[in-house]
Amino acid sequence: MAIPEISPVSGPRPELAELLAAARVVSVPMRVRFRGILHREALLIPGPAGWGEFSPFPEYDDVEAAPWLAAALEAAGEGYPEPVRDSVPVNGTVPAVGVEQVEAVLARFGAVPAVKVKVAERGQTVAEDLARVAEVRRLLPDAGIRVDANGGWDVPTAVGALEALAEAGLEYAEQPVPDIAGLRAVRLELARRGIPVLVAADESVRKETDPLRVAREDAADLIVVKVAPLGGVRRALEIVAAAGLPAVVSSALDTSVGIRAGVALAASLPELPYACGLGTLSLMSGDVSGELMLPDGGALAVRDVPVSGELLERWAASPEVTQWWLDRLGRVYGQLAER
């Protein structure tokens, strides 16, 4: 399993001065707190093929942010591979909210084939996770349910929690523990106990220097792939092919521009066995396009996303935040230049 390199877009890379002059920075409010944030910031880059989104979370260092810039430049400068399907199924997402909020959150997604439920939130208990999942199951008795712990449990807690959560009929558990050795331990113990919950790796793919290690060490049943952290649609396709595991395409809490990239990946995979985590725009109170990438009937169509100048102005970040992102763009561009 060779790790695909992050390659530049076809043709010369745009000059940094050109990118800085054209970039637009937005700060879009969230409907609910997600990953601890109430505003999602993103830097958008126009190019000959369309728009690219550069939005690594603020805590990511410049090295970790470099693939996100590569993905944005691919989208803006090169566009996407030819799709093999014209729409992709999409799941709903329920953050770590109280049971009383679950119905309102689900209502924003409409009809969906599956729901991802956040669990293992710091300061919350497994009992709260069980109640949240049970409420989703009550409201959507026929939907697939998957849980995402973002590495928030240790191995014994994960096994105990998933044994209880299995009663709801889980499709899989995403990143129940933080590291690859732990994922393997959870997977083996679930199998030993006869608990029918598959283990999915997310952070152990996108945050590892070797995104294929989780497959080599037999630590997951499937992988979750996001375009930006993996360096673009084409590189993500290569990683999925090399891993040899079923893949779930997800977003990183993107605007419609970033969601479009996720749809491009999902539409280009030879097989797509699970609904995609590309419905997170429903968690945001605004967007940069008047034609939002929101699912219709539990699916997203493969289509281009026009960016609105009026919406770029409406959600424009403050001068201080804008400068922070432009400075970051300059530093991360330097990281790409060294590759």
Side-chain angles (χ1 to χ4, degrees):
M1 294 183 188
I3 307 169
E5 294 292 332
I6 298 176
S7 19
V9 297
S10 298
R13 181 178 293 148
E15 295 292 333
L16 176 58
E18 178 185 348
L19 294 176
L20 291 171
R24 302 294 296 269
V25 181
V26 295
S27 179
V28 180
M30 303 292 298
R31 295 181 188 274
V32 294
R33 185 182 296 274
F34 193 85
R35 289 185 92 262
I37 65 173
L38 290 172
H39 284 78
R40 182 64 169 122
E41 297 171 1
L43 184 149
L44 302 172
I45 299 168
W51 287 79
E53 177 169 337
F54 174 61
S55 57
F57 293 100
E59 67 269 21
Y60 291 4
D61 65 25
D62 294 346
V63 172
E64 190 173 356
W68 296 65
L69 182 54
L73 295 177
E74 176 195 55
E78 192 171 358
Y80 302 117
E82 193 68 26
V84 298
R85 56 186 63 85
D86 57 14
S87 69
V88 299
V90 176
N91 67 249
T93 301
V94 174
V97 297
V99 170
E100 71 284 354
Q101 295 177 266
V102 169
E103 186 169 8
V105 171
L106 286 175
R108 290 196 287 269
F109 291 96
V112 289
V115 178
K116 178 164 75 171
V117 184
K118 292 290 186 177
V119 295
E121 183 84 354
R122 184 172 297 180
Q124 293 186 359
T125 65
V126 172
E128 290 173 283
D129 295 333
L130 290 169
R132 187 179 308 113
V133 171
E135 179 67 358
V136 173
R137 175 55 73 213
R138 183 186 74 81
L139 293 166
L140 298 175
D142 299 323
I145 295 179
R146 64 280 296 260
V147 296
D148 182 5
N150 290 119
W153 288 323
D154 57 27
V155 172
T157 303
V159 172
L162 293 176
E163 184 170 21
L165 287 164
E167 296 296 320
L170 298 184
E171 289 185 316
Y172 59 81
E174 184 174 328
Q175 201 69 41
V177 293
D179 56 35
I180 291 175
L183 286 179
R184 178 177 168 82
V186 168
R187 185 168 179 258
L188 291 175
E189 184 60 17
L190 290 174
R192 189 187 72 80
R193 296 189 188 190
I195 300 168
V197 177
L198 300 178
V199 172
D202 176 11
E203 286 88 346
S204 290
V205 176
R206 63 183 168 87
K207 295 177 80 70
E208 288 284 325
T209 54
D210 179 356
L212 300 177
R213 182 183 158 207
V214 70
R216 273 202 310 272
E217 298 193 12
D218 205 23
D221 299 288
L222 58 147
I223 57 174
V224 178
V225 289
K226 296 180 171 72
V227 170
L230 293 180
V233 171
R234 290 167 178 80
R235 185 169 186 261
L237 288 170
E238 292 172 349
I239 287 169
V240 172
L245 292 174
V248 182
V249 179
S250 187
S251 72
L253 198 60
D254 305 319
T255 72
S256 282
V257 172
I259 297 292
R260 171 67 181 96
V263 170
L265 171 58
S268 301
L269 284 169
E271 298 180 3
L272 195 66
Y274 296 96
C276 305
L278 296 172
T280 50
L281 194 63
S282 298
L283 302 174
M284 300 165 69
S285 293
D287 189 41
V288 297
S289 176
E291 300 178 19
L292 285 71
M293 289 292 282
L294 289 172
D296 180 13
L300 276 168
V302 179
R303 62 175 176 83
D304 291 333
V305 174
V307 171
S308 162
E310 188 274 328
L311 291 172
L312 287 174
E313 290 294 335
R314 180 185 304 177
W315 304 118
S318 69
E320 294 78 16
V321 169
T322 296
Q323 190 58 55
W324 186 89
W325 277 95
L326 293 176
D327 291 343
R328 189 186 202 191
L329 173 61
R331 296 193 310 272
V332 176
Y333 184 92
Q335 289 289 332
L336 276 186
E338 295 173 4
R339 293 174 183 245

